Amino acid sequence: MERIQTPRAPLPAGHYSQAIKANGFVFVAGQLPFAPGPERRMPEGIEAQARQCLENLAAILEAAGSSVDRLTSVQLFIPDVALWGKVNAVYEAFMGEARPARTVVPTRDLHYGALIELNAVAVAD
C-alpha cells in the first residue's frame, strides 16, 4: 500500500491521504473544488468548481502513475439536482473518451459551501 500526495492538488486538511494505491488500484479521497496551494481558494460557480475537482483528480491520478483514461468509477456529490446538467457538460468535456462507471448523488450542503465533491477509483500502472 502506498500513500499518494502531490502539491498539484489541495493537500489534505484532515487525517487522510489524497489517494491510496493498493492492489493495482488508486483510491482517490473526496476532492472539494479547492485550487492547489495554501490559500484554499475555491472558484465561483458550478462549472468552475466541477472543472477544479476534475483537475485535482487528474493531478492525483498522475502522481499515482495512473490517469483519467484508467478510471473505473467516479462518484459526484452535488447539493442540488438542478446542477446536474451543468456538471455533466463539464464532466463530459473533461473526460473525453473515458467513460468510467459514474454515480451522481444529490445531497445536502457540502463542506465549506462547495457545489461539488468527488471521489474515484482508477487502475494503477
Side-chain angles (χ1 to χ4, degrees):
M1 186 170 82
E2 176 185 354
R3 290 187 182 115
I4 305 300
Q5 183 168 307
T6 177
R8 294 184 43 232
L11 297 176
H15 191 73
Y16 63 94
S17 299
Q18 288 172 326
I20 296 291
K21 188 174 179 179
N23 296 325
F25 290 95
V26 180
F27 301 89
V28 180
Q31 295 298 303
L32 289 168
F34 288 116
E39 303 86 23
R40 310 274 303 162
R41 183 178 44 83
M42 188 182 308
E44 293 289 325
I46 187 59
E47 292 96 343
Q49 287 191 19
R51 204 167 12 262
Q52 185 64 63
C53 280
L54 291 164
E55 288 171 2
N56 294 344
L57 171 62
I60 293 166
L61 290 173
E62 184 178 304
S66 190
S67 62
V68 170
D69 64 336
R70 297 181 62 99
L71 281 165
T72 58
S73 86
V74 176
Q75 296 79 45
L76 302 165
F77 303 90
I78 55 176
D80 185 344
V81 73
L83 299 172
W84 192 318
K86 290 179 180 180
V87 168
N88 195 57
V90 172
Y91 181 90
E92 183 179 352
F94 191 90
M95 290 294 177
E97 294 300 313
R99 289 184 180 262
R102 182 185 81 174
T103 304
V104 179
V105 182
T107 186
R108 296 186 56 107
D109 297 343
L110 295 170
H111 205 37
Y112 303 108
L115 298 174
I116 187 168
E117 182 172 356
L118 66 78
N119 63 43
V121 178
V123 175
D125 283 340

